[in-house]
Amino acid sequence: MKRRSLIGFAALLPVTAAAQTKPSQRRSNAPALSAARTIVAGAPLGVFLSNAPQGARLAIARPDDPASRAIVVVEPKHTVPALPTPGVVGTYELRLTVEKDGAPVILLRQPLVTTEPSATLAAPERVGRGQGLPVRGIGPNGEQDRVMLVKPDAPADTEGPRFFPAENVEAVLEAPDQPGVYELRYVLHAPLAEPRILARRAVKVE
């Protein structure tokens, strides 16, 4: 009798082992995301993403927003995508969503807090008319942020000689042909934020 009991117990071992490995396999294949929980408003947010299902999207929304509402939505093309963050200080939520029955469903979520943005500018105080003005501008460095040379009383959305710090924080801008006092600006362009001047520096064109 004892021998039969042992044989019966041994016969159950492979089945039990297989049953135990299946949940762990499912967990290892589950989607996962990781990102900073605090970031300067308007700065790009790098996200480490793994096992994302086909058609999944990354979104930034307010914590109370339903799955169908978001401030930023990006369809990731690789495992470390970057999202533009809101240009307004606040509490948000990073989400991984997938569409089901024609509507987004939240698979994963992570809190995100944005802090007050700032910027610095460096350039000569004087430059000749039509000459090159070497400039350095550092700020949140969002994709649409720009450093511009304009008249001091120009609106924040005024166009003029510019460069994008996200591509390179240093550039040479061509000074205007008309002499006078101009203003070098770092302008923030980010979701929820109108063009916002973060830093100014006077430049005299002679």
Side-chain angles (χ1 to χ4, degrees):
M1 291 296 292
K2 291 182 179 180
R3 185 177 180 183
R4 291 195 189 98
S5 299
L6 289 173
I7 292 173
F9 177 73
L12 289 174
L13 285 177
V15 177
T16 305
Q20 290 176 344
T21 57
K22 286 180 181 178
S24 63
Q25 289 173 352
R26 284 197 297 267
R27 285 195 297 270
S28 65
N29 292 330
L33 64 79
S34 177
R37 293 173 181 257
T38 303
I39 193 169
V40 173
L45 177 69
V47 180
F48 294 91
L49 186 61
S50 60
N51 298 322
Q54 186 70 28
R57 294 179 179 179
L58 287 168
I60 296 176
R62 294 180 177 85
D64 296 333
D65 284 346
S68 59
R69 184 181 300 172
I71 300 165
V72 176
V73 179
V74 172
E75 187 171 344
K77 303 298 182 183
H78 46 79
T79 56
V80 192
L83 285 77
T85 58
V88 176
V89 173
T91 300
Y92 303 93
E93 190 172 77
L94 173 66
R95 298 172 173 176
L96 178 68
T97 69
V98 67
E99 191 168 305
K100 184 177 181 181
D101 298 328
V105 175
I106 301 172
L107 299 180
L108 297 170
R109 62 179 85 210
Q110 177 179 302
L112 176 67
V113 174
T114 56
T115 60
E116 186 65 32
S118 63
T120 59
L121 293 167
E125 295 181 355
R126 300 171 183 270
V127 64
R129 291 176 293 172
Q131 300 299 306
L133 177 70
V135 178
R136 181 179 178 88
I138 300 176
N141 293 2
E143 186 177 358
Q144 297 301 318
D145 289 5
R146 58 204 64 188
V147 174
M148 307 180 64
L149 184 63
V150 297
K151 285 287 189 179
D153 58 351
D157 58 355
T158 299
E159 296 295 327
R162 63 185 180 180
F163 70 91
F164 297 91
E167 299 174 358
N168 196 330
V169 298
E170 295 182 342
V172 176
L173 298 179
E174 184 177 344
D177 292 328
Q178 183 178 356
V181 177
Y182 289 80
E183 188 173 78
L184 188 66
R185 297 174 174 175
Y186 187 108
V187 183
L188 171 71
H189 283 246
L192 295 184
E194 296 294 330
R196 177 184 172 190
I197 302 170
L198 296 185
R200 308 170 187 259
R201 181 179 175 85
V203 175
K204 188 174 183 180
V205 176
E206 302 174 324

